[in-house]
Amino acid sequence: MAQKKQDADCVIIKKYANRRLYNTETSSYVTLDHLAQLVRDGRDFVVRDAKSGDDITRAVLAQIIFEQESRGQEMLPIPFLRQLIGFYGDRLQSMVPGYLQTSMDAFSQNQEHMRAAFENSLNPAQAMSMLDEAARKNMQVFEQTFKMFNPFADKTPATSPHDTKADSRSDQAPTASEGKIDALEKQLAAMQSQLDEMRKK
């Protein structure tokens, strides 16, 4: 039932074996650029394999991103892509989608304030100040989300004298997950530094 409801509310795109995409709403073949425009227009759609009926929306959306990046419209930093790939197969993999979704939701919410600052403000300095404030709020949300998904954050387990040596060894040998988390923290710091540089310009 849930699947049928989704189909009723979304534009259904069928993908055939020859890679052609068919928009069932307009009864016409479309391209990836057309689907990208649907996203920009806020139209929801589901892409299904024409033969099996399987939902392949995720793969098609990833293909759209690849096409945009290959055309020189680069938006995904290489360090970010490397870190993202590194989480596949990691214990924290299941936490990454929620973290990324929360972060993007926060950025999307603030983008309206940023657009308004540039479009409605006659004072460039004031517009940049609003942009900087929105960016800092984004960073706060990133950090809060990070702590939420970081199982080691703000947790200092009680220790006994007998555990001192074990704790010392643990501090000296961080786990692979902790290493990836540290890398994310550095990436966030780098993003903040770039935002500060943009504000100065």
Side-chain angles (χ1 to χ4, degrees), residues 13-175:
I13 307 295
K14 292 184 178 180
K15 186 174 184 180
Y16 291 89
N18 59 6
R19 297 185 179 181
R20 298 192 70 182
L21 300 165
Y22 185 80
N23 186 328
T24 60
E25 181 182 61
T26 60
S27 299
S28 61
Y29 288 98
V30 296
T31 64
L32 289 177
D33 287 337
H34 175 80
L35 298 187
Q37 189 59 51
L38 287 181
V39 172
R40 298 186 188 98
D41 293 340
R43 295 294 309 277
D44 195 10
F45 62 84
V46 173
V47 183
R48 298 195 178 282
D49 184 281
K51 184 176 181 180
S52 67
D54 293 341
D55 186 338
I56 56 174
T57 308
R58 184 191 303 271
V60 172
L61 291 175
Q63 188 178 357
I64 292 174
I65 294 175
F66 174 78
E67 290 286 339
Q68 298 294 325
E69 291 283 325
S70 64
R71 293 176 184 175
Q73 301 183 37
E74 300 172 354
M75 189 168 59
L76 300 176
I78 290 178
F80 169 78
L81 292 173
R82 293 185 188 279
Q83 291 171 4
L84 190 61
I85 292 172
F87 274 109
Y88 282 98
D90 189 274
R91 291 181 179 179
L92 296 182
Q93 178 178 339
S94 61
M95 300 180 183
V96 174
Y99 171 82
L100 294 178
Q101 186 64 58
T102 301
S103 300
M104 185 55 72
D105 286 344
F107 185 85
S108 297
Q109 182 178 7
N110 283 329
Q111 74 171 337
E112 297 304 323
H113 297 290
M114 290 185 263
R115 292 182 192 276
F118 283 104
E119 294 175 0
N120 302 326
S121 177
L122 298 178
N123 186 339
Q126 181 181 5
M128 289 306 298
S129 177
M130 294 178 64
L131 174 61
D132 181 64
E133 180 61 24
R136 292 187 183 281
K137 288 182 179 180
N138 274 335
M139 289 303 299
Q140 291 176 358
V141 173
F142 292 162
E143 292 171 356
Q144 291 172 0
T145 308
F146 172 81
K147 291 180 180 179
M148 183 193 314
F149 290 109
N150 179 2
F152 306 102
D154 300 328
K155 292 182 181 180
T156 306
T159 59
S160 67
H162 300 289
D163 297 330
T164 303
K165 292 183 179 179
D167 291 343
S168 177
R169 287 194 300 270
S170 177
D171 292 339
Q172 294 175 0
T175 65

